[in-house]
Each structure stands twice: as C-alpha cells, then as structure tokens.
Amino acid sequence: MEKANTLHIIKLSDSDFVRTLENCIQFGTPVLLENIGEELDPILEPLLLKQTFKQGGSVCIRLGDSTIEYAPDFRFYITTKLRNPHYLPETSVKVTLLNFMITPEGMQDQLLGIVVARERPDLEEEKQALILQGAENKRQLKEIEDKILETLQSSEGNILEDETAIKILSSSKVLANEITEKQAVAEVTEKKIDATRLGYRPIAIHSSILFFSIADLANIEPMYQYSLTWFINLFTMSIENSEKCDNLDTRLQILRDHFTYSLYVNVCRSLFEKDKLLFSFCLNVNLLKHEKMIDDSEWKFLLTGGVGLDNPHPNPCTWLPTNSWDEICRLDSLVTFKYIRRDFERLKEGWKQVYDSMEPHHVPFPEEWQDKLGEFQRMLMIRCLRPDKVVPMVQEFVIHSLGRKFIEAPPFDLGKAFGDSHCCAPLIFILSPGSDPMAALLRFADDQGFGGAKLSSLSLGQGQGPIAMQMIEKAIKEGTWVVLQNCHLATSWMPMLEKVCEELNPDTTHPDFRLWLTSYPSPTFPVSVLQNGVKMTNEAPKGLRANIGRSYLMDPISDPEFFNSCNKPGAFKKLLYGLCFFHALVQERRKFGPLGWNIPYEFNETDLRISVQQLHMFLNQYQEVPFDAIRYMTGECNYGGRVTDDWDRRSLRTVLAKFYNNQITDNPDYKFDSSGLYYSPPEGDYNSYIEYTKTLPLNPTPEIFGMNANADITKDQTETKLLFDSILLTQSDNTSRSSGGDAKSSDDMVFEVAADILSKLPANFDVEASMRKYPTTYTQSMNTVLVQEMGRFNKLLQTIRDSCINIQKAIKGLVVMSAELEEVVNSILKGRVPGMWMKKSYPSLKPLGSYVNDFLARLKFLQDWYDHGTPPVFWLSGFFFTQAFLTGSQQNFARKYTIPIDLLGFDYEVLEDKEYHQAPEDGVYVRGLFLDGARWDRKKKVLAESHPKVLYDTVPVMWLKPCKRQDIPKRPSYLSPVYKTSERRGTLSTTGHSTNFVISMTIPSDMPEEHWIGRGVALMCQLNS
C-alpha cells in the first residue's frame, strides 16, 4: 500500500525511533510502529492528538523537546502482536482500531489458493491467463469504441458515401463480435475452473480448523506460540510430501491425514507431556464440531459440569457423592439426556454397577441408555459418576476418531528438530523440572562436528547480555553454534534477543550458524522468536522404574571405579540402591498432589549426586555405618534444604528412614513395602542392579509410596480436573459468543445467576448492634471474635453484592463492562468463583454453586450466634480467621484460672457421633472437620484405613480442652495438621499465620505414626465439592 512512498518501520525498543519519526514527519514519509503493548509511549501523545499549530507560515508540531514542521502527506500506522488487547478508552479515542486477526473464511481462501496452485498448477495458470486475456479484450473493445466515435466525429457530409468510414465500421463490428465470443468462452472456462477449485475446499476448511485449534494453546503456556507463516510452510510441505493420486476424494483424504498427523507431530514436539492428550482431544473435538457431530452445549457441560446454584431434588442413593448427583440433575437439561434424573432413580442398581466397576467406561449402561448415548455422550455420564476415569475415556475416544498414533507422541528426536531449523531460526528448549538438555546437546554437537571450540555456551543472568552479543556476532561470521541457557532469568535482555533474531538475514549469516536457547515457560520470552523458532520439550522420564534406571546411568554411580571403591562394598551398594529408590520416590510422590507434598518440590540430580558422594565418604571414614550422620546430611541438608514446609519435612524424614536404617544392611529379607516386590538387591556387580530395576512394575501401586488405593483415585481426579481446566483456557472466544442453538444466550444465563445470587444474599451485619449486644468483656473473648468475624464477612458480602449488581447493569448497557467485570462474567459461565471475590474471600476451592451455598451457611452461622447467643458447638470451618477463635477459647480459660496464656495448649478428644445441646464447662466443642487419607473408626475410636472410593470421612464433634502444655496426657496418637482447603499449601499472611494451615491436632491411633505420615493424613475444614 505504502511501498512506493518508502515506508519506515520502527519499534519502541529502537534506540533512535524518535529521530526516525521526526524525519518522517518533516518529509511526509509514512511510518509503521510495530509490536506495541497495551500502553503507548507518552511522547506520541501530541502526534496522536494531531496537536499542530502555525508557526512562521508553516504547520508545526511539538515532539518531546523539539518543534518540527508537519508535512501534510505524513501517515502513521501502529501494529500490535497481542492476541486480545484491552485498550483503554483514552487510547481508543486517539486512534482508529482495526482488527486484522485472521478470520476462518480468510484462512480458508488463503489455504485454498495454496493447495490449488500446488495441486493443479495448470488450472491456476489458465485462470491467470484468462484474467490477462479478459483485460486485453476489454482494452481492444475500448480502442474500437474510441475509433468509431472518432470516425463519426471527423466524417463530413453523408456518412454512407464515406467509404473509409464504412470500412472502419464494418471491420470494428467483426472484431467486436469476435471479442464477445471469446469473452463468452472465457466465462464458461472460468466457471469450470472455479468448480474444480471448489473441489479442494474441504481440505482448506479442515486445515483452517486445525490452525484455530493451535492458535489458542498459548493461553495454557506462554511458550506455545505458532505463527501463520510456520503453519503455511508445514501445509505446503504436506502437499509436496504426501502420496499423489488422480482421484480427487482419495487425494484429499490422503492430504488430510498426512497434514493432520504432520501438524500433531510438530506441535507435540513443543508441548509438555501433560498437554499432549489435551491437544489431540481438542483437534478431534473441533473437527467433529464442524461436522455437527458434537453438540456445543454437551461440550460445555463436559468441561464445566454445568452451572447451577441450588439443587431442589434430594439424592436418591447413599453411595453417590452429592456433587455427582448435582451434575446429573444439571445434565437433565440437555436434549439428549432428557429424563436422566428420573431414570437414574428408577435404574439406580444398574448405575451402581457402573459406579462400582474398576473400568466404569467399559460397563454397559442400564436399559435404553446403553444404545441411546454415543461415545462422546457416555463421557458426560462418566464425568458425573466417576471423574477419575475420564482420561482413559478421552484416550479411547481419540483412538476411535483419529487413530492410535494421535495418543502416542513420537519420542524426542534432536536430529529431526535440527533438520527443521536453519541459520535464521533459533532452536528453543522449553525446560521442565528435572530436565537438563545440555548433556544431550553436547553429545549431538560432537556428532555433527560442532564440538569443542565450535560450540560456545553461556548461562544468562545479570550483566551477561553484552558477552552473549559478542558470542553471537562472532558465531554469525564463523558459522559456529551458540547456546544461551536460562533465558527466563534475563527478562530485561529479552527485547535485545528479539532484535538479534529479527536481524538475522540468510544473506549475511553463515549457513552453519545455529542459536540454541533454553528457558522455563515465561510470559516475557519474545513471541516473535517463539513463533519463528523450532521449539522442543524434553521431560525427565516418569515412573519409579525409569527414574531409578536413570539414576544408575548418572555420573558418579555409572563410573565403575567409584562404584567398586568403597571399603564396605556390601553396605555401600545396599544403601546406594536405597538412596536411588528414595530419590525416585520423593519425585514420584508429587503426582499425588497435596497427599504427597504440600508444595511440589523440584528435587533434582544434584541432590542425589552430593548425597551419593557423602554416603561413599562416610562409609570409608567410619568403622560402623553412621546412620544418624547420613540421615541428617541427606534428609535435612541436601534434600531437606529445599523443603520449606514443616509437614513436608516430617514426610521427607519418614520416607528416608525406610531406606537409611540398619535393617536394609543387616536383614537380607528386608522389604520396602508389604507387597514384597521392592527391596535392595543383594551385593552384586553394577549390571545386576540395572537388571533388577528392569523387573519392577511399570505402574507401581500406591502402597510403595505409603498411600492406600484411594490415593490413585485422588490423583486421577486431579488429572481430569487439570485437563478440563486447561481446555477451558483455550475456549476463551467461544464463551462470549453464544451459539444460536442454545436455548439461552450467555448474557441471559449470567444475568439469571447474578439475580439468583442477589436474591439469596442477606443484608450486611449490623456490627454496631452486635457490639452493643456482645460488648468486649474480660471473661468472654468470644464476643470480640463474633464482632470481628462480622466485619470480615461484611467486606466480602459487599464485594459479591456490588459485582452482581454491576454485571446486571453492564449486560443492560448501563455501565461499562470493565476487565474485572468481564472476568466475573467468564467465571460465572465456567462455574468458577470470580477472582474479584477471591481477593476478599477466605480460601476455597469449591465451584461457584457450592461456594455461594457455603458462604450463605457461614453467614447463617454468625446470624444464629447473634440471635440465640453463643452456640454449644462451634462450626470450625465457618470462621474467616480460625486462629482468632482458637486463641479466644484459650484466653477464656487462661482468665478464668489465671494461668499465663503462653503456657497453654489443647488436649483433643473426639466425641460420640451425636447432637450436643450443652456447651462444655471448659474449652469448646467444634464440628465441621473432614479426614483426608484415612477414616475415623467410630467403634474403636481410632484412625483407620479409608473405605474404597470414599476419599474423605466426616469427623464427629471434637472437644478442644485448653490445659497446660506439660499436663497434656501422652497416648498413642498421630499429630495431624488441620488445613482450610485440600490444597494444603498457603502463604504467610500479615498476621504471621499461614493462609491455609490452622493448627495441629492429636488423634488417637493404634498404628505407628509413620504409617499415617506416609499416607499424608490431614484434617480439612472444607471439601472441594
């Protein structure tokens, strides 16, 4: 458009962008400002507002400190690479906003042109020739018309007697007829060509769907960025490399399969393991949605479980969890599932078989529901009944629709990735905990002949930028390789890196030059580098067996001299195997979420390496094996140094004690768990240990981790939740546009939910009236607790009320829909608690409906306390700040018996499971706790193993008795932490308390404490459902 006028391109990061801009304004040449964010540089202000003025007869403008002449031909263009930018009204007023995001239709036309040009170059040439011929014919006709007019004008007297005029007219007529005939033929040919082109439309539509499936992946991880150019190159390569065929339908099928798989392989290379299945599933669903084989409302239900606050229908089955029943009732509103609620009650025995099965997704559904539901719809039912089995169902669904190869991602291949790169495309390793691609890269460099001096590497950080620049400049000239590690640590240098990559030019860059980058996912990593580079992930292998195997291949264990040099070889080799097993176990415990570790620590090979060397050293220096010393060095320093949570430290010590004890060296029959499969093999050579490791089960049972079988269910449910949460992030656009098929539009639905919440909210607490009724007194600290709690709840109540009112106004168009309100709307559509509420709220992981009901129950608890006086049993979970309540109960006791409060602790007694109407003389009764990882045996009054598939157990009323710490009776018990939510990890708040951990309680137990520590048993104030 502006090519003829020599367009200048600038960026805000250029050092001299203001000078370029000034020159262009003076000489009237157009300027393009690229890659701006949501904020504009203030220096552009006068330019955007066109604040020109006359000075000395010419138009001028002030830019920064200088006044310059303003040429009338000057044009200013600005582009941004942000995918969904929110420009403030004051910015939008100054510029004209144009959306240049590619649309599905535009994408299809572009791909159609490419495929036809490659597949039928004859047609494309013919079409081009026709266009040229048409233009030529029109030119000739115009000439003829001009000639006739000229003849008529210049002839004098009777035109019929003018012989030359007659000749000209008759020859023109012949020529005009010929041209008209040619045009008619050309039009027929053109129609034929267009018809043939349309034959290729299906592949263009198919590929355009694939493009929009990868475009939204960046919402999951900032590193998942793919450019249109990259996509089109891949598409062109598929056309070239796939098998040719004369039959159009067959050829399109071949092309479709080849391109879909080629895209899958190329994208998978840059995805983490957790997102590979998600990607196949999204591709699959998007293709089926286009073919109208998946209903949009069913797809939304699968991801969110429906949105609803109340469920008026009582749960008909004792074995069915409440949230499953709520989801089934919401499922009833979908067309295909009409009457599912009624039939569920009628056929509950049949559904119980599905629920109890080990593989519920393979069990036939009762009666007509078996034939009525398709494979995708069965998934919705399993989502409600057994969410832990959704992931295997998704795998099977992808296999049946796309084929098995779409769930088996090809193994990591550095050579192939290198083959796809060139001197101007950097290669980017996206790092994950425990993966270090450096060793593999050095080996690969040696194989390619780029070892030693031809490869220079640098870890980025403060002050390393200039050194990196020198390395790159040298390598570009000499054609060597440069490796820049940990780009995420050098955020300030990233714009510089972007500039370097953009300035790489095939003409001035040595063809052998390669730039390798490594970085953890980071939002500051330049998008343009990601889009044009070759991205790879290489994660550490998963599973106990692979992990132990990898440890044995690591230096120094793999060094025969080190392995055989200890003066106590028997003890060393046994303890070494135990240590490697421990290393694998602490890493694999992460997959159980908070049951494994409250905070998922990144234990890595350096922790293991130093522990191995210390083990070797201590055994050589002492006569006896110094177990205390190696336990302390490994458990408290090397691994324990990373552990920031006290309860995790307790777990770490307990796990280590299983492997670092005299049993492992002295007792040949010592096993690591009750199954007897895991033990430290007897003394042998290096290979005997590798061989034994290969015999271990591929998927270990939870027993070896110290967990019971329910831990697997928890782990699978978390996996399902993560899958759906991540998919929801990619569905950003679909929620705002309501499809015509929906009974209600999204706006109506949000409006209804907001109105429903508003109608249930009570008025704010009258704190002043409470202070009059419950004044601060010396003997009753609970009055203060009540008044403070009311104040805290009022803030949250006000936030929820205001946001619901504003949403309704925004939907009606009475107020502006701000970014905060938009977030609330999207959260409501997904059935989530909005972030705006969570900032003012107590911690909670519940979905929206349960959260609102739980919030109302808390308000009612405080209201009843105000109306009827101090309750006999306190609902421990109902407090905003639980520690204040616990301190209050100790303070009452301390003042009553005049004992200093800092000498007091609690003694805990779990009471009979019944109602209590009378408060105890001293201390408090509390209810509302849940046991996670174990259950309370009501007959024996001790902790016991959970029942299968029952993940949580409610704890009967507990009596918290304040007494002096030295007087607390000692009895066999387990010290259990109490958390507010099942996430278990919190942050330190300004009061010095954790935002999640409340207190630790002793619970009677007839098993050793280590048994429950391994299971991660804890008390929760609330569940997630």
Side-chain angles (χ1 to χ4, degrees):
M1 188 164 83
E2 294 281 6
K3 200 173 182 181
N5 306 339
T6 61
L7 174 76
H8 283 70
I9 298 176
I10 57 172
K11 287 193 190 65
L12 290 178
S13 54
D14 294 349
S15 49
D16 57 348
F17 88 92
V18 181
R19 193 176 318 123
T20 317
L21 193 57
E22 286 177 1
N23 292 339
C24 292
I25 293 173
Q26 281 168 318
F27 299 120
T29 45
V31 173
L32 169 64
L33 171 63
E34 284 193 320
N35 292 358
I36 58 148
E38 294 194 344
E39 302 285 324
L40 290 176
D41 194 314
I43 201 164
L44 302 172
E45 192 83 354
L47 191 59
L48 296 177
L49 292 171
K50 287 200 177 161
Q51 290 173 340
T52 54
F53 52 90
K54 281 266 175 69
Q55 187 175 347
S58 55
V59 181
C60 295
I61 192 166
R62 273 190 79 77
L63 207 61
D65 307 333
S66 48
T67 304
I68 48 175
E69 277 193 26
Y70 184 86
D73 299 341
F74 172 71
R75 295 281 177 277
F76 191 36
Y77 304 95
I78 309 179
T79 62
T80 177
K81 279 197 172 167
L82 299 177
R83 301 169 38 155
N84 191 6
H86 281 272
Y87 286 108
L88 293 170
E90 46 266 41
T91 310
S92 313
V93 174
K94 298 171 201 159
V95 295
T96 311
L97 284 175
L98 292 177
N99 182 359
F100 262 82
M101 281 287 283
I102 189 156
T103 60
E105 292 75 24
M107 183 76 194
Q108 286 166 22
D109 288 345
Q110 207 170 337
L111 293 170
L112 185 62
I114 294 167
V115 72
V116 175
R118 296 272 163 165
E119 288 286 292
R120 298 289 302 269
D122 52 323
L123 280 185
E124 204 62 6
E125 275 173 32
E126 210 174 314
K127 188 166 169 74
Q128 296 302 332
L130 281 178
I131 291 170
L132 292 174
Q133 189 193 344
E136 176 61 25
N137 289 345
K138 283 187 180 134
R139 191 184 61 76
Q140 282 184 339
L141 270 176
K142 178 94 175 80
E143 266 181 22
I144 291 167
E145 284 166 8
D146 289 351
K147 215 169 178 184
I148 292 171
L149 287 173
E150 196 184 348
T151 311
L152 291 172
Q153 194 181 357
S154 59
S155 92
E156 291 166 4
N158 186 350
I159 196 167
L160 295 174
E161 290 170 6
D162 190 341
E163 215 164 295
T164 50
I166 299 243
K167 259 188 190 161
I168 289 171
L169 285 173
S170 56
S171 68
S172 301
K173 188 182 176 193
V174 174
L175 200 58
N177 288 344
E178 272 177 25
I179 289 174
T180 317
E181 277 168 22
K182 272 188 195 166
Q183 279 293 79
V185 173
E187 274 173 19
V188 173
T189 321
E190 195 167 354
K191 276 189 185 148
K192 206 165 75 189
I193 291 174
D194 284 346
T196 318
R197 277 187 62 153
L198 280 179
Y200 285 94
R201 195 155 186 79
I203 184 69
I205 294 174
H206 176 89
S207 307
S208 131
I209 294 170
L210 299 185
F211 176 74
F212 287 101
S213 302
I214 59 171
D216 284 327
L217 288 175
N219 292 338
I220 302 176
E221 290 281 355
M223 306 300 261
Y224 297 166
Q225 301 274 2
Y226 307 91
S227 71
L228 181 59
T229 331
W230 172 86
F231 182 84
I232 285 177
N233 286 342
L234 201 60
F235 183 61
T236 320
M237 278 163 62
S238 266
I239 299 173
E240 304 286 302
N241 301 338
S242 55
E243 188 188 328
K244 304 282 181 275
C245 175
D246 293 337
N247 179 333
L248 182 63
D249 289 346
T250 320
R251 169 66 181 149
L252 288 183
Q253 191 55 46
I254 291 171
L255 193 52
R256 187 178 300 150
D257 294 347
H258 187 279
F259 179 55
T260 310
Y261 187 60
S262 159
L263 182 77
Y264 171 73
V265 170
N266 274 284
V267 171
C268 263
R269 182 164 66 197
S270 57
L271 298 183
F272 290 128
E273 290 297 328
K274 68 182 177 65
D275 296 322
K276 286 180 179 171
L277 178 64
L278 174 152
F279 175 56
S280 313
F281 188 45
C282 283
L283 275 188
N284 193 351
V285 169
N286 289 343
L287 291 169
L288 290 174
K289 269 165 81 173
H290 173 70
E291 291 167 20
K292 301 278 185 283
M293 289 167 72
I294 286 184
D295 178 62
D296 220 21
S297 52
E298 288 177 7
W299 171 236
K300 270 187 199 155
F301 183 91
L302 178 69
L303 299 181
T304 60
V307 179
L309 297 182
D310 273 356
N311 184 0
H313 310 283
N315 185 345
C317 318
T318 47
W319 47 267
L320 187 70
T322 326
N323 56 324
S324 294
W325 174 243
D326 290 349
E327 285 188 4
I328 289 170
C329 292
R330 291 200 284 270
L331 191 58
D332 197 276
S333 63
L334 299 180
V335 182
T336 324
F337 291 91
K338 200 96 193 91
Y339 307 123
I340 183 77
R341 190 185 72 238
R342 195 188 64 192
D343 282 4
F344 195 89
E345 294 184 34
R346 182 169 62 89
L347 305 166
K348 54 184 174 203
E349 287 313 309
W351 288 113
K352 189 174 190 316
Q353 284 174 359
V354 179
Y355 178 77
D356 287 339
S357 160
M358 291 293 283
E359 294 191 330
H361 49 302
H362 291 152
V363 177
F365 285 0
E367 291 190 17
E368 75 267 25
W369 292 101
Q370 172 62 13
D371 305 322
K372 192 173 171 182
L373 302 180
E375 190 178 8
F376 183 77
Q377 290 154 338
R378 286 177 72 92
M379 218 183 298
L380 272 68
M381 204 60 219
I382 294 293
R383 182 210 147 95
C384 300
L385 286 174
R386 287 285 300 276
D388 54 307
K389 290 295 176 203
V390 168
V391 172
M393 270 198 99
V394 167
Q395 288 174 333
E396 286 178 19
F397 183 68
V398 173
I399 292 174
H400 294 157
S401 300
L402 293 177
R404 177 168 286 280
K405 58 185 184 181
F406 281 89
I407 63 160
E408 293 168 355
F412 177 71
D413 181 353
L414 195 51
K416 194 165 178 314
F418 177 73
D420 287 349
S421 72
H422 50 84
C423 60
C424 300
L427 294 107
I428 305 150
F429 284 104
I430 306 173
L431 302 175
S432 59
S435 72
D436 182 15
M438 211 46 211
L441 181 55
L442 292 172
R443 260 201 312 275
F444 179 71
D446 284 339
D447 297 346
Q448 295 286 328
F450 280 87
K454 282 191 161 186
L455 178 99
S456 41
S457 95
L458 177 72
S459 184
L460 290 177
Q462 203 170 3
Q464 300 297 312
I467 307 172
M469 283 303 294
Q470 288 164 4
M471 282 166 57
I472 292 172
E473 281 162 14
K474 184 169 167 241
I476 287 176
K477 291 192 190 84
E478 297 175 2
T480 54
W481 290 2
V482 174
V483 186
L484 300 180
Q485 293 172 274
N486 301 333
C487 294
H488 57 284
L489 298 179
T491 34
S492 56
W493 191 70
M494 285 297 104
M496 199 64 213
L497 174 70
E498 182 170 20
K499 200 169 170 214
V500 169
C501 293
E502 280 183 355
E503 286 170 2
L504 287 177
N505 182 346
D507 307 336
T508 55
T509 308
H510 194 293
D512 289 341
F513 166 74
R514 289 291 184 280
L515 178 61
W516 302 78
L517 306 168
T518 75
S519 172
Y520 275 92
S522 154
T524 54
F525 198 93
V527 172
S528 62
V529 179
L530 284 168
Q531 289 189 339
N532 301 323
V534 176
K535 300 176 287 298
M536 299 161 282
T537 56
N538 184 19
E539 288 176 70
K542 298 272 194 295
L544 271 181
R545 192 168 84 178
N547 208 313
I548 299 169
R550 192 175 78 231
S551 299
Y552 264 78
L553 297 174
M554 174 194 90
D555 183 64
I557 303 178
S558 58
D559 176 8
E561 193 179 312
F562 175 84
F563 189 76
N564 295 311
S565 64
C566 183
N567 62 20
K568 301 189 187 60
F572 174 66
K573 288 178 183 177
K574 280 231 165 203
L575 287 169
L576 177 65
Y577 195 83
L579 177 60
C580 290
F581 204 101
F582 162 77
H583 176 71
L585 208 64
V586 293
Q587 284 185 310
E588 288 296 309
R589 261 184 89 99
R590 278 203 304 244
K591 70 183 184 189
F592 293 103
L595 282 174
W597 302 112
N598 289 355
I599 299 167
Y601 301 101
E602 316 294 4
F603 299 114
N604 61 26
E605 288 180 356
T606 47
D607 303 333
L608 177 62
R609 195 171 285 129
I610 184 76
S611 302
V612 168
Q613 284 162 340
Q614 284 172 353
L615 175 68
H616 188 261
M617 184 181 79
F618 278 125
L619 289 184
N620 277 345
Q621 286 177 0
Y622 291 87
Q623 294 291 212
E624 292 292 312
V625 179
F627 281 110
D628 285 344
I630 57 175
R631 266 200 295 261
Y632 183 81
M633 291 307 292
T634 303
E636 298 290 341
C637 304
N638 305 337
Y639 286 86
R642 292 183 184 280
V643 178
T644 50
D645 183 288
D646 290 344
W647 302 98
D648 284 342
R649 190 170 293 239
R650 178 176 79 161
S651 304
L652 188 78
R653 281 199 300 264
T654 308
V655 175
L656 184 62
K658 232 192 235 183
F659 304 100
Y660 268 7
N661 58 34
N662 51 13
Q663 286 283 323
I664 195 172
T665 50
D666 304 345
N667 175 3
D669 294 332
Y670 179 67
K671 303 280 192 274
F672 294 152
D673 79 335
S674 54
S675 71
L677 292 172
Y678 303 94
Y679 53 88
S680 186
E683 187 188 344
D685 64 345
Y686 173 77
N687 282 337
S688 67
Y689 291 93
I690 303 249
E691 288 310 312
Y692 164 70
T693 305
K694 285 180 183 164
T695 65
L696 297 178
L698 183 59
N699 294 321
T701 58
E703 283 302 323
I704 181 63
F705 300 98
M707 310 272 177
N708 76 355
N710 280 352
D712 262 353
I713 298 182
T714 311
K715 177 187 94 201
D716 293 340
Q717 284 183 354
T718 315
E719 206 176 321
T720 302
K721 187 175 178 327
L722 179 72
L723 175 74
F724 287 156
D725 286 354
S726 302
I727 294 180
L728 272 171
L729 292 173
T730 68
Q731 303 291 310
S732 53
D733 303 348
N734 307 3
T735 47
S736 52
R737 294 189 226 109
S738 62
S739 56
D742 279 11
K744 287 183 229 165
S745 75
S746 322
D747 283 355
D748 295 348
M749 191 172 134
V750 174
F751 196 89
E752 275 179 26
V753 173
D756 191 14
I757 295 173
L758 275 175
S759 68
K760 292 183 174 150
L761 293 181
N764 284 13
F765 291 118
D766 186 340
V767 179
E768 287 179 1
S770 308
M771 285 171 86
R772 286 196 295 276
K773 188 170 178 184
Y774 295 98
T776 309
T777 58
Y778 184 76
T779 52
Q780 183 49 295
S781 306
M782 288 301 167
N783 291 1
T784 314
V785 174
L786 173 67
V787 172
Q788 288 178 346
E789 283 291 310
M790 285 181 164
R792 290 189 191 100
F793 273 103
N794 272 351
K795 280 185 194 156
L796 175 58
L797 186 56
Q798 198 54 47
T799 305
I800 295 180
R801 183 179 286 119
D802 290 350
S803 66
C804 285
I805 291 172
N806 285 336
I807 281 174
Q808 290 186 323
K809 285 183 179 169
I811 290 174
K812 285 180 184 165
L814 302 174
V815 295
V816 175
M817 178 72 83
S818 64
E820 286 88 17
L821 282 182
E822 197 172 351
E823 188 270 331
V824 177
V825 169
N826 285 332
S827 301
I828 290 179
L829 284 171
K830 291 175 183 173
R832 299 287 158 77
V833 182
M836 189 173 174
W837 301 2
M838 284 316 292
K839 281 183 194 148
K840 298 269 195 294
S841 168
Y842 43 87
S844 175
L845 301 175
K846 291 176 179 290
L848 182 65
S850 314
Y851 175 85
V852 172
N853 291 334
D854 173 62
F855 175 59
L856 296 171
R858 290 172 188 240
L859 298 177
K860 185 175 182 309
F861 165 63
L862 292 182
Q863 190 60 47
D864 289 350
W865 183 346
Y866 174 79
D867 293 340
H868 309 300
T870 312
V873 181
F874 289 94
W875 182 28
L876 193 65
S877 329
F879 291 100
F880 216 109
F881 184 43
T882 323
Q883 285 88 346
F885 161 73
L886 297 168
T887 309
S889 61
Q890 284 188 346
Q891 199 167 9
N892 280 350
F893 184 85
R895 286 171 173 177
K896 182 175 175 184
Y897 296 103
T898 58
I899 302 169
I901 191 167
D902 45 6
L903 298 180
L904 292 180
F906 279 117
D907 184 24
Y908 302 93
E909 186 184 333
V910 184
L911 304 174
E912 291 291 333
D913 207 349
K914 60 173 194 192
E915 296 265 318
Y916 291 85
H917 302 291
Q918 194 61 45
E921 179 59 32
D922 290 324
V924 285
Y925 287 157
V926 298
R927 63 181 170 88
L929 291 175
F930 300 90
L931 258 175
D932 185 9
R935 70 184 168 86
W936 177 251
D937 187 328
R938 284 155 170 73
K939 287 202 183 80
K940 292 187 185 168
K941 296 229 163 102
V942 287
L943 278 179
E945 291 300 340
S946 306
H947 291 307
K949 288 212 257 326
V950 181
L951 304 180
Y952 303 100
D953 185 29
T954 50
V955 182
V957 173
M958 287 181 84
W959 183 8
L960 277 52
K961 304 180 237 185
C963 52
K964 282 189 181 166
R965 282 205 190 87
Q966 71 253 33
D967 298 344
I968 296 176
K970 296 272 179 288
R971 44 178 172 258
S973 61
Y974 165 67
L975 184 66
S976 164
V978 180
Y979 296 103
K980 291 183 182 175
T981 68
S982 69
E983 189 179 23
R984 298 195 183 189
R985 62 186 290 189
T987 49
L988 206 61
S989 63
T990 46
T991 55
H993 297 91
S994 160
T995 52
N996 208 329
F997 171 72
V998 182
I999 192 174
S1000 49
M1001 297 185 170
T1002 46
I1003 305 178
S1005 159
D1006 52 4
M1007 302 271 256
E1009 194 168 33
E1010 292 74 35
H1011 178 81
W1012 303 115
I1013 295 173
R1015 278 170 167 42
V1017 173
L1019 289 161
M1020 304 287 158
C1021 290
Q1022 52 165 310
L1023 302 180
N1024 301 355
S1025 55

